[in-house]
Amino acid sequence: MTLETAFLAGGALLIFIGLSTDLIRRSVFTTPLIYLGAGLLVGPSVLGWLHFNPLAQAGTLELVTEIAVLLSLFTAGMKMPMPLRWPRWRAAIRLAFVGVAISVALMAGFLHLALGLPLGAAVLLAAILTPTDPVLATDVQIRHPGDRERLRFGLTSEGGLNDGSAFPFVVLGMGLLGLDGGFHPLDWLLVDVIQATVLAAVIGWCGGAALAHGAFLLRSDERDRDLLDDFLGLGLIGVVYGLCLFSDSWGFIGVFVAALSLRHHELRLYRQTRALWPDAGEPASCPRVSERSLGFKEQLERLCELALVLLIGCTLFPDSWSWRAVAVAAFLFLVARPLSVLLCLRGLRLPPRILGLTAWFGVRGIGSLYYLSYAVTHGLPQQLALEMIHITLVVVSLSILVHGFSLRPLMQRFGRTRRRRRPAAGTPPDRPSPSARTIPLAEFTQLQPGD
């Protein structure tokens, strides 16, 4: 891959996307589909202009995917509805922890029994493929902080959490392969699962709260601070992730929780200030950092998405689509994902249409590429690495294709169904409970501390 060709292909694709935005929105094509098609066109599958070798350049791939996932997790966390309430979050918690464990078990069993992979390799590949993606799934996630849609909330919160909750299973698979000191059951459960998860959540919550209170106490003039707010958001990502790495905890969980904490505390400070001085105009504690820095991080996230999906297309050859890789994708999409969703959400009485779409839209993508490159750079044997690279790239590509083409038709049908279920004119609608809906900022300021 030459630098000149990479710049030419990337620049031409950016111009095309920028000029055809309205046309793309009216079509069945999503932007990841277009990026993947462009990568296949200029890659070894068609023209052969570009070729990216994920084995030889695993370190670069790990760094780029790590940055992309961190930006996406922070952006998703800042768009989550507030205030935080357990009844609204319990489905996401189940999906991110119980659902991930079920999916890893199902996938590992299939990979071990049907494909003949060693148990450690089967667990590792299952963990790589299990987490849903916070980058490529933006079209089915929360669009803005006031989005009240339950389906979008569930998919966004699941994607924000399961990139971290899958990490212990990556460590488990590598340990069973004899990497990173081997596997010790008690240490894995107490340290890698419980301690690393809880510690990451604590670091993230404290980091977000500290930044919210610091901005409230030290900043009085809110004019012309857009760039500084971007710096604050990026700085929070760096500090929280760095602390998580130093403490051997899961930084992806820490960054997502930090974004939740930042917005939660900014809104709480805003409410308290408005309650004390209702006629003082917009207070300095208005949620500026979380709101003003959101657009900038979304743009960075989109650029990372373009670069990485383009690279995926540039890795695939015409003979990459083996039956083994396609079988893994089919089992993941049609068996493991639906079963894990149905089992872990039993008893929550979710509407069937939301349950069905949640089971289908388990988009795989950049998170899987990060775990894959992480395993390669941490000593995965070359023969296993080549097979896992092959299967992972095909599964991610098929996810972009099948989920991408089905996204807009299914979501449009879902929207029409919701509109038909609304009460007729003159019939008073049932008012949802506060725990089951998103509370807008104006209403949030009127809540009492105990609400």
Side-chain angles (χ1 to χ4, degrees):
M1 175 169 59
T2 65
L3 186 62
E4 296 86 350
T5 310
F7 271 108
L8 180 61
L13 186 57
L14 283 172
I15 292 174
F16 172 77
I17 294 295
L19 293 177
S20 57
T21 300
D22 292 337
L23 181 63
I24 293 172
R25 288 174 179 171
R26 293 193 297 267
S27 71
V28 296
F29 293 95
T30 61
T31 49
L33 271 172
I34 296 173
Y35 303 155
L36 180 63
L40 291 172
L41 176 64
V42 301
S45 294
V46 182
L47 299 176
W49 293 351
L50 296 174
H51 176 226
F52 180 78
N53 187 334
L55 181 62
Q57 298 170 296
T60 301
L61 184 62
E62 180 184 3
L63 178 61
V64 176
T65 53
E66 191 172 20
I67 293 172
V69 172
L70 289 173
L71 288 171
S72 183
L73 292 175
F74 195 78
T75 301
M78 289 193 296
K79 291 188 290 189
M80 300 305 293
M82 296 293 164
L84 302 174
R85 301 209 179 254
W86 168 248
R88 191 172 181 86
W89 277 86
R90 59 184 175 182
I93 298 296
R94 288 193 187 185
L95 284 169
F97 294 95
V98 181
V100 163
I102 295 173
S103 183
V104 169
L106 291 172
M107 286 298 300
F110 174 79
L111 293 168
H112 180 59
L113 298 175
L115 269 67
L117 290 180
L119 181 60
V123 172
L124 176 58
L125 184 55
I128 289 171
L129 297 175
T130 288
T132 57
D133 195 73
V135 182
L136 301 184
T138 51
D139 289 318
V140 290
Q141 292 183 350
I142 285 179
R143 298 171 178 173
H144 52 80
D147 195 339
R148 305 184 181 193
E149 175 50 54
R150 291 175 67 187
L151 173 63
R152 293 182 183 277
F153 173 86
L155 293 171
T156 307
S157 52
E158 179 196 7
L161 289 170
N162 67 14
D163 272 299
S165 63
F167 223 132
F169 296 99
V170 174
V171 173
L172 173 61
M174 295 177 68
L176 291 172
L177 288 171
L179 305 175
D180 286 347
F183 173 60
H184 307 282
L186 189 60
D187 286 345
W188 178 79
L189 178 62
L190 296 179
V191 177
D192 295 324
V193 177
I194 299 175
Q195 177 182 300
T197 301
V198 173
L199 188 55
V202 171
I203 291 173
W205 188 261
C206 293
L211 179 58
H213 284 84
F216 171 67
L217 293 174
L218 299 177
R219 300 170 65 187
S220 58
D221 184 5
E222 291 295 327
R223 295 174 297 177
D224 301 325
R225 290 188 177 270
D226 290 27
L227 181 60
L228 297 181
D229 289 325
D230 294 333
F231 285 175
L232 287 175
L234 292 173
L236 180 60
I237 294 174
V239 169
V240 169
Y241 195 60
L243 289 174
C244 288
L245 292 179
F246 273 120
S247 59
D248 291 327
S249 55
W250 307 130
F252 288 166
I253 291 179
V255 168
F256 181 71
V257 172
L260 292 175
S261 176
L262 172 63
R263 182 152 182 84
H264 172 79
H265 286 93
E266 281 195 320
L267 286 169
R268 183 172 292 276
L269 290 169
Y270 176 86
R271 183 192 67 187
Q272 292 172 350
T273 306
R274 287 294 299 269
L276 291 174
W277 297 286
D279 301 324
E282 186 180 82
S285 58
C286 182
R288 295 287 190 178
V289 176
S290 58
E291 288 185 358
R292 284 188 173 179
S293 63
L294 184 58
F296 175 68
K297 291 173 183 60
E298 285 182 327
Q299 297 304 319
L300 290 177
E301 177 188 354
R302 291 292 186 178
L303 288 174
C304 291
E305 175 189 57
L306 182 151
L308 290 168
V309 178
L310 190 63
L311 287 180
I312 292 173
C314 293
T315 63
L316 297 173
F317 290 84
D319 59 353
S320 295
W321 309 88
S322 68
W323 72 266
R324 288 168 65 88
V326 175
V328 172
F331 185 84
L332 176 62
F333 301 158
L334 302 178
V335 180
R337 170 67 181 182
L339 272 180
S340 64
V341 170
L342 294 176
L343 290 174
C344 73
L345 295 183
R346 288 185 61 189
L348 294 187
R349 299 180 181 178
L350 291 173
R353 64 188 189 281
I354 291 181
L355 196 60
L357 288 175
T358 301
W360 173 243
F361 283 121
V363 182
R364 268 59 185 182
I366 309 305
S368 295
L369 294 183
Y370 168 73
Y371 284 130
L372 173 67
S373 55
Y374 175 88
V376 172
T377 58
H378 283 73
L380 187 65
Q382 183 172 344
Q383 192 60 36
L384 280 177
L386 289 172
E387 181 160 17
M388 289 189 185
I389 289 171
H390 163 233
I391 292 176
T392 302
L393 290 173
V394 172
V395 169
V396 171
S397 300
L398 287 174
S399 180
I400 294 172
L401 290 170
V402 299
H403 293 125
F405 277 117
S406 63
L407 188 149
R408 286 178 180 162
L410 289 177
M411 293 303 289
Q412 288 171 0
R413 182 179 177 184
F414 175 66
R416 290 194 296 268
T417 303
R418 290 183 66 234
R419 287 192 292 271
R420 286 198 300 267
R421 290 174 177 268
R422 288 176 181 171
T427 304
D430 293 333
R431 182 178 177 84
S433 64
S435 61
R437 61 191 176 94
T438 303
I439 301 177
L441 181 60
E443 185 179 344
F444 187 90
T445 62
Q446 301 173 3
L447 296 178
Q448 299 301 317
D451 292 341

